[in-house]
Each structure stands twice: as structure tokens, then as C-alpha cells.
């Protein structure tokens, strides 16, 4: 590995401090020197700073790349927007730890998030999965133990309380997974079977996470009706167990929550004042993204995908499902009734349904002269629960208020499957820096970089990433602050961001002059291992 000199560039170091002009030397995967402009004479390669800025690599606190990292290790959607570390294993469902039957259910249940590729799933434990990542990936990756997968493995897919013996077994598996390198635990409390856990069960698991020095990243029980109560439950877990809690994609969506972001932020501030360790992430867009099957009430999914499809096929059960979705408010849809005008298809697994991608359920219903709920059932059945959607339910005033909080971080929540995925999968980080910093002046550039680098590195307890300092890993991004922008749109979401010229991961160019190099220098970042990734 040869020396690299980035000469006479604006350095934004990730702490939030004002930028400074200087030279940066990289060698052996590390930042070896920071100096005054022009004071480092030469290196094997020199990049002139000119009008550019140098920042730490961006850390995506909420990524759904668990399989994409393996099936497409070049990972261009995230690389092209400057992401050098991703946190995966999100929303309580992922692929480790598993046994054979559990893996089969998970693969089917979250095919809408990750696809269901013909991949050699040659792991069962978290440690084995992290070893698989170490065979070659572009960005670094940190893993959260998925609480829903734990429950599926121990309790099964049924809707019932866990027994004390089962809770003890989940605690043992969680402790083992954390010892193998996971950085914490996630939940998806509007997704089955994780949502079947009560607060006491979650507290028992959070105690294990706290003892290991990790953090809990819950997708709460509601982001719509009852959102604030759902956040209060999670903050209550921090108070009760001492576990650090990171509120993921905390966007305050749906009409019930318009203008209510200050209430959430006040709740967080009160907990911080008491000594709780609370943080949160958001994406800088209004629509959300999930699977169409996520709108189903939880009782439908009890028993797993086959049981759900059987209930959908039963005329009597359909009546009950339709009532929950359209009249009562489905817990899968955050306690609100589904507005079919807001549900836009973003991807399908069945090619026969491809013409519907980009259209709302309401539009499809008009064309087919059917009630929207009938279209809903038809899509779920013909696509075997694999349909992905955009849900147009956000509020700009909430997005702007939350992103200014001092405990806020960036998370794309990007799904990388489907013909028209949410553009956040390609544009989250440049959108923060282009739209909200340069165009709107809503955040200062140095402060925004801190949101995307230093703060998440501190949450992950990485001792040598997230900042530009001598001795730190050379995860770096060079961009033009005058031009950086997301170009991904809802109509054409798979578009490379503008203004990012170079990305280094562990000192190796992954993006060079705007083009991918094919280098696979990323690795799994393990907590509490011999690699000493914690501090």
C-alpha cells in the first residue's frame, strides 16, 4: 500500500469543529499525519484539495444491506454516496443467529427487504456471518442481533408469551451473539414475531445488551397512532435497564403526528437530563418504505408466511382482515387505517406484476374496477408477500426539527431491491449535505458532518473511526460542497450522487475520480473482540 497525500484541502474532522485547511497523509490503511498546507513534501500519490472538502466516511446507522453486501459486494448505491460503514441486522429480522427452519422463514418473510437470492447461506451464528462478510465487502459493517429472529428461533412464529425458560434461552443466545461481535440488538415491533414480545421480555434482553456495552435499536410499536406512547415505552426500557437506546428512523410520520416532533424531542431531552443514553436517526425524505405485507394486522402473520397466506385465502378471514386494515386500524400499519392513495408499489418479485410498480393501490384499483382492499389481497397472494412499497405519510416540519437535535444521526433505511426503490438507498447522505446544508441552510456543514460521522462512531463505540485524526482508520470522503447533491428521484431512484469524487475504506480507494475501483477493503467491525473495536 503506497502513501497518499491529500494536499491543501478543507478538513472537516467529524467533531463539529470549524473546518481547517491542511494536508493529510495516509499510509497502511491509517491517517498517519495532519499538517499545515504545503508542509508535507511528497507522497506516492497526491490529490490536490482545491475547492474540495475532506471528511470522515459516512456511517449509515440503519441499513438493509444484509444480503446485498454478499450478492453485490461492490455495493455501489452506498459507496457512491460516501458510506464507509453500515449498521445492519435492523428492524428485528435478519439472518443470524438461525437454524435451518428459522432461516427459511426469515428469507421468505423479508424477501421484500433483501430479496431471496440463490446464495450459499453457509453460516448459522453471528460470528460465522461476520466471518462471511470478512471474505470481501466494500464498506465496513456492524451487526445488530435481531430480536425477532431470536424469538423465531426459540419461541417460533406463533403469537403467544415467551415462557421464562424461553426468555433465558434468548438471553443466552443474545449474550453469545454479542460476544461474537454484534454491537447491540434491534427490534421490529410492528413486525412479527418480534412484536409479540411484551415490555418485560424486551427488558430481560436489554439487560444483556447493557451488560455487554451495546445498544438497543428499536423500530417501535407505532409510528402513527400512539407513536409517542411507543417511544415512551422504549425510553422506559433505558430507564429500567440502563441500556443505551437508539430510536431508529424516528420520523414522526402519519397525519396524527403532524407538527408533534417537539413532543418527541422533549421526551428525549428529559431522559437525557436523567442520565439515560438516548440517540436517534432519520432519513431526509418524507415517504417511508416497507413491504406490503407489513400493513397486515399481526394476528394474520402468526405462524409464519404460509399461515398468513392461508388466512388471506380464507373468505371469512378476509372479512376480518379487511375490517382491521380499513376500519379499525391495523397494528401492522401503526394503528391507523390504510390510505390506499399513499401506498405506492416500489418492487415486486412476480414478473407478472411488474406493470404495477410505481403505481398506488388506489390507481390499480380504479384500473381494475376493484375495491382497493381486493387489490391488496391479490398482490399479497400473487407476489407471495414479496411486494415492497413506498408509504407517502411524512411531514417536512417534523423531518427538519428532528434532524437538528444534538443526538441525531443519519440512517438511510434504504432497501436495495425492486425496480423503483426509495431514493434514500442512493441519496440519503448527499441529500443531507446538498439540500439541507447548502440549499436550505438548515444545518451548518460542519455540524451535519458530525451527525453523519463522529456521532454514530461514538454510538458504535468505535475507537478509531468517525473522525480525522492521526492514527485513525482512513475511512475518508472527498467531495465538492458547492455541487454535492442527491440525483436519485422517486421516478428514477438508482442514480449516482453528484459531487463525491473519492471514497477510501481502510485506506484503499473504493471510489476514485467518481468511479468504483472494485476494491473490497471493508470488514466486519466486531464489538469486544481481539480487534478492539470498542473503547
Amino acid at each position: 500500500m503506497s502513501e497518499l497525500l491529500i494536499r491543501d484541502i478543507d478538513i472537516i474532522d467529524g467533531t463539529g469543529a470549524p473546518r481547517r485547511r491542511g494536508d493529510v497523509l495516509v499510509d497502511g490503511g491509517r491517517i498517519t499525519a495532519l499538517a499545515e498546507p504545503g508542509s508535507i513534501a511528497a507522497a506516492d500519490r497526491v490529490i490536490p484539495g482545491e475547492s474540495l472538502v475532506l471528511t470522515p466516511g459516512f456511517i449509515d446507522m440503519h441499513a438493509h444491506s444484509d444480503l446485498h453486501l454478499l450478492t453485490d459486494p461492490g455495493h455501489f448505491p452506498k459507496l457512491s454516496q460516501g458510506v464507509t460503514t453500515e449498521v445492519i441486522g435492523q428492524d428485528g429480522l435478519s439472518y443470524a443467529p438461525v437454524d435451518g427452519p428459522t432461516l427459511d422463514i426469515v428469507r421468505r418473510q423479508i424477501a421484500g427487504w433483501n430479496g431471496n437470492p440463490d446464495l450459499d447461506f453457509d453460516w448459522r451464528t453471528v460470528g460465522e456471518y461476520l466471518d462471511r462478510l470478512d471474505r470481501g465487502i466494500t464498506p465496513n459493517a456492524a451487526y445488530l442481533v435481531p430480536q425477532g429472529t431470536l424469538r423465531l428461533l426459540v419461541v417460533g412464529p406463533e403469537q403467544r408469551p415467551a415462557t421464562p425458560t424461553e426468555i433465558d434461552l434468548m438471553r443466552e443466545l443474545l449474550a453469545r451473539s454479542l460476544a461474537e461481535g454484534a454491537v447491540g440488538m434491534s427490534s421490529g415491533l410492528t413486525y412479527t414475531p418480534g412484536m409479540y414480545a411484551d415490555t418485560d421480555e424486551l427488558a430481560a434482553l436489554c439487560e444483556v445488551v447493557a451488560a455487554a456495552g451495546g445498544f438497543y435499536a428499536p423500530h417501535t410499536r407505532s409510528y402513527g397512532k400512539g407513536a409517542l406512547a411507543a417511544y415512551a415505552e422504549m425510553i422506559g426500557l433505558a430507564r429500567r435497564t440502563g441500556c443505551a437506546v437508539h430510536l431508529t428512523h424516528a420520523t414522526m410520520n402519519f397525519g396524527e403526528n403532524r407538527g408533534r416532533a417537539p413532543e418527541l424531542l422533549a421526551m428525549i431531552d428529559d431522559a437525557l437530563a436523567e442520565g439515560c443514553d438516548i440517540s436517534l436517526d432519520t432519513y431526509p425524505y418524507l415517504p417511508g418504505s416497507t413491504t406490503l405485507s407489513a400493513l397486515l394486522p399481526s394476528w394474520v402473520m402468526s405462524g409464519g408466511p404460509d399461515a398468513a397466506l392461508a388466512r388471506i385465502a380464507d373468505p371469512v378471514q378476509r372479512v376480518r382482515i379487511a375490517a382491521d386494515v380499513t376500519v379499525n386500524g391495523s397494528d401492522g400499519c401503526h394503528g391507523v387505517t390504510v390510505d390506499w392513495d399513499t401506498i405506492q408499489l416500489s418492487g415486486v418479485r412476480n414478473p407478472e406484476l411488474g406493470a404495477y410498480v410505481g403505481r398506488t393501490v388506489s390507481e390499480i384499483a380504479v384500473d381494475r374496477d376493484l375495491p382497493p382492499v381486493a387489490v391488496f389481497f391479490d398482490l399479497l397472494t400473487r407476489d407471495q408477500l414479496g411486494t415492497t412499497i413506498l408509504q407517502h405519510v411524512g411531514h417536512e416540519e417534523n423531518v427538519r426539527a428532528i434532524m437538528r437535535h444534538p443526538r441525531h444521526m443519519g440512517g438511510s433505511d434504504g432497501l436495495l431491491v425492486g425496480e423503483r426503490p426509495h431514493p434514500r438507498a442512493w441519496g440519503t447522505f448527499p441529500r443531507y449535505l446538498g439540500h439541507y446544508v447548502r440549499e436550505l441552510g438548515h444545518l451548518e456543514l460542519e455540524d451535519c458532518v458530525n451527525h453523519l460521522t463522529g456521532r454514530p462512531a461514538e454510538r458504535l463505540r468505535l475507537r478509531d473511526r468517525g473522525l480525522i485524526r492521526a492514527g485513525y482508520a482512513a475511512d475518508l470522503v472527498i467531495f465538492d460542497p458547492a455541487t454535492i447533491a442527491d440525483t436519485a428521484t422517486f421516478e428514477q431512484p438508482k442514480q449516482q450522487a453528484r459531487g463525491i469524487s473519492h471514497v477510501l475504506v481502510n485506506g484503499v480507494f473504493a471510489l476514485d475520480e467518481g468511479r468504483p475501483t472494485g476494491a473490497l477493503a471493508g470488514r466486519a467491525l466486531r464489538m469486544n473482540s481481539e480487534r478492539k473495536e470498542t473503547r
Side-chain angles (χ1 to χ4, degrees):
M1 191 178 295
S2 58
E3 276 192 328
L4 166 70
L5 171 59
I6 306 169
R7 173 177 284 161
D8 192 16
I9 194 167
D10 275 345
I11 301 168
I12 300 178
D13 68 5
T15 65
R19 72 191 76 184
R20 65 186 188 277
R21 202 77 182 170
D23 292 352
V24 176
L25 192 66
V26 174
D27 191 23
R30 298 274 162 183
I31 300 167
T32 56
L34 284 78
E36 293 298 312
S39 61
I40 300 176
D44 297 306
R45 179 175 176 184
V46 178
I47 296 178
E50 300 175 340
S51 60
L52 305 175
V53 298
L54 176 71
T55 73
F58 306 136
I59 298 175
D60 189 342
M61 284 298 293
H62 190 101
H64 286 284
S65 307
D66 308 44
L67 297 186
H68 194 267
L69 286 165
L70 302 176
T71 60
D72 186 7
H75 211 42
F76 190 64
K78 295 300 184 64
L79 166 64
S80 61
Q81 55 179 306
V83 172
T84 60
T85 295
E86 293 191 300
V87 185
I88 56 177
Q90 299 284 356
D91 290 334
L93 288 165
S94 190
Y95 306 91
V98 292
D99 57 15
T102 299
L103 178 62
D104 289 342
I105 292 175
V106 170
R107 288 180 64 179
R108 292 182 62 194
Q109 184 168 342
I110 57 174
W113 295 358
N114 299 303
N116 192 3
D118 184 13
L119 182 69
D120 183 9
F121 289 82
D122 59 349
W123 67 86
R124 290 296 180 266
T125 68
V126 167
E128 290 167 350
Y129 175 69
L130 298 180
D131 288 343
R132 178 66 179 274
L133 295 179
D134 274 339
R135 295 184 200 173
I137 52 178
T138 292
N140 304 304
Y143 188 74
L144 295 166
V145 183
Q147 170 258 330
T149 302
L150 280 180
R151 199 175 208 276
L152 187 62
L153 184 60
V154 174
V155 181
E158 292 76 23
Q159 183 174 5
R160 66 170 178 83
T163 67
T165 299
E166 289 168 337
I167 291 174
D168 286 343
L169 182 52
M170 283 189 281
R171 284 167 56 94
E172 291 174 14
L173 286 169
L174 176 57
R176 187 182 312 157
S177 298
L178 293 164
E180 290 169 352
V183 297
M185 181 180 74
S186 75
S187 282
L189 299 176
T190 63
Y191 301 123
T192 61
M195 69 191 302
Y196 300 148
D198 62 19
T199 307
D200 288 342
E201 181 179 326
L202 296 175
L205 297 175
C206 283
E207 289 171 355
V208 177
V209 177
F215 67 95
Y216 177 41
H219 165 125
T220 68
R221 296 192 194 274
S222 175
Y223 291 90
K225 184 179 180 180
L228 290 172
Y231 285 122
E233 180 191 13
M234 299 300 103
I235 293 171
L237 286 170
R239 291 189 174 103
R240 176 176 173 180
T241 68
C243 187
V245 170
H246 179 78
L247 302 170
T248 196
H249 46 52
T251 50
M252 292 295 286
N253 287 334
F254 297 94
E256 288 84 347
N257 297 310
R258 181 184 294 275
R260 300 190 71 184
E263 296 176 57
L264 168 62
L265 300 180
M267 186 184 301
I268 293 171
D269 288 341
D270 288 346
L272 291 170
E274 296 171 20
C276 295
D277 185 357
I278 311 292
S279 58
L280 73 165
D281 68 63
T282 64
Y283 46 83
Y285 298 86
L286 301 188
S289 179
T290 187
T291 59
L292 189 65
S293 62
L295 306 181
L296 289 165
S298 59
W299 63 266
V300 177
M301 293 296 296
S302 178
D306 287 333
L309 289 167
R311 292 185 182 102
I312 292 168
D314 183 334
V316 175
Q317 300 278 32
R318 278 197 186 212
V319 173
R320 182 183 171 193
I321 297 169
D324 280 352
V325 169
T326 62
V327 179
N328 303 325
S330 165
D331 53 2
C333 193
H334 309 281
V336 303
T337 56
V338 178
D339 179 354
W340 301 111
D341 290 336
T342 70
I343 307 301
Q344 180 183 21
L345 273 63
S346 59
V348 294
R349 296 182 62 214
N350 182 347
E352 295 178 0
L353 303 173
Y356 295 142
V357 173
R359 311 196 70 199
T360 67
V361 171
S362 290
E363 291 169 341
I364 299 167
V366 170
D367 284 354
R368 296 183 58 184
D369 194 23
L370 291 171
V373 73
V375 172
F376 175 59
F377 289 137
D378 181 61
L379 291 169
L380 291 170
T381 301
R382 293 172 64 191
D383 213 22
Q384 293 290 289
L385 310 180
T387 309
T388 52
I389 61 170
L390 303 181
Q391 200 165 8
H392 295 267
V393 291
H395 306 291
E396 181 69 16
E397 64 271 34
N398 287 345
V399 169
R400 294 194 193 189
I402 292 168
M403 74 169 62
R404 297 187 72 164
H405 192 272
R407 297 290 286 168
H408 169 267
M409 304 165 199
S412 72
D413 195 15
L415 303 182
L416 298 168
V417 299
E419 289 303 308
R420 287 177 57 172
H422 197 301
R424 65 194 184 192
W426 289 73
T428 290
F429 296 87
R431 182 168 175 81
Y432 271 117
L433 298 165
H435 183 60
Y436 286 97
V437 171
R438 185 184 62 251
E439 295 175 2
L440 298 181
H442 188 64
L443 296 171
E444 295 294 327
L445 182 56
E446 290 87 347
D447 182 41
C448 187
V449 169
N450 174 241
H451 287 237
L452 309 180
T453 62
R455 287 186 201 172
E458 183 177 0
R459 164 52 72 216
L460 293 167
R461 299 188 178 182
L462 302 178
R463 61 172 182 152
D464 59 359
R465 297 179 194 272
L467 303 176
I468 297 179
R469 287 182 178 168
Y472 272 49
D475 293 346
L476 300 169
V477 179
I478 300 175
F479 65 87
D480 184 347
T483 63
I484 189 169
D486 60 312
T487 65
T489 65
F490 288 99
E491 292 73 28
Q492 295 183 320
K494 299 179 182 181
Q495 303 295 318
Q496 181 176 356
R498 185 169 60 242
I500 298 175
S501 58
H502 300 83
V503 179
L504 287 88
V505 180
N506 295 313
V508 177
F509 281 103
L511 192 74
D512 195 350
E513 300 293 349
R515 295 183 295 274
T517 67
L520 302 178
R523 59 181 178 83
L525 302 181
R526 292 168 167 85
M527 182 176 71
N528 295 333
S529 75
E530 72 282 359
R531 299 189 182 192
K532 299 183 187 296
E533 291 293 346
T534 61
R535 60 180 178 186

